[in-house]
Amino acid sequence: MVTSEELEPYLLRERKIFKKYPQAKSDMTEAKGALIDNPTLGDVYPGLAIEAVRKIRVGIKALKMPPRSALRFYYFYAVEKKKIVYIHLLKKGKPQQENKVIKEVKKALKEIIKELKSKTEDVT
């Protein structure tokens, strides 16, 4: 069974986006459910050397916002652990600074790998 975890920066962004777009909650819940069923659902995130970071686009149906112009969330899938870690969430609209997103994802990825390694060492 696949499990999931949301990092604090992700949760902060999610709260901010849901405050502005409360209609997005059901769409995000639906997307996360689909992801649990198929963790490789998202596109591999370009710009990183590791294929475990993926991106999913989510539309906001109630506002008739298609996936290409609504929400994007980035996640890490640890295949061996069967664990999804939500890293970053954003609302597309303003020109996003791609380097900023990559920097945040890389920082979160380092933390995730460190945590997964420490949990593996604790088991052995």
Side-chain angles (χ1 to χ4, degrees):
M1 180 175 168
V2 176
T3 61
S4 66
E5 176 184 348
E6 297 164 325
L7 297 180
E8 189 61 31
Y10 173 88
L11 289 171
L12 292 172
R13 289 183 183 278
E14 187 178 66
R15 280 186 221 118
K16 185 177 179 180
I17 286 173
F18 287 169
K19 186 174 182 178
K20 188 171 183 176
Y21 302 100
Q23 307 88 335
K25 287 181 184 179
S26 62
D27 296 311
M28 282 296 294
T29 301
E30 185 180 316
K32 287 179 180 180
L35 193 56
I36 293 292
D37 294 338
N38 182 5
T40 59
L41 186 64
D43 299 326
V44 173
Y45 185 67
L48 296 172
I50 187 165
E51 289 188 19
V53 176
R54 294 176 172 268
K55 162 178 79 174
I56 291 195
R57 295 176 181 96
V58 179
I60 304 174
K61 294 173 190 168
L63 299 176
K64 298 183 179 172
M65 294 175 112
R68 292 237 180 241
S69 63
L71 304 176
R72 298 195 176 171
F73 70 91
Y74 300 84
Y75 67 95
F76 172 81
Y77 178 54
V79 178
E80 325 69 60
K81 302 281 185 187
K82 293 188 177 184
K83 184 174 185 174
I84 296 168
V85 182
Y86 299 104
I87 299 173
H88 190 74
L89 175 68
L90 60 90
K91 162 68 178 80
K92 187 168 181 200
K94 299 177 188 172
Q96 297 295 329
Q97 294 179 355
E98 195 70 20
N99 290 338
K100 183 179 178 184
V101 172
I102 290 173
K103 184 178 176 182
E104 288 182 28
V105 170
K106 282 182 178 180
K107 180 181 175 187
L109 191 57
K110 285 179 185 178
E111 291 174 19
I112 293 164
I113 291 171
K114 182 179 175 181
E115 180 184 326
L116 290 173
K117 282 183 180 179
S118 70
K119 286 183 180 179
T120 302
E121 291 169 1
D122 292 343
V123 173
T124 55

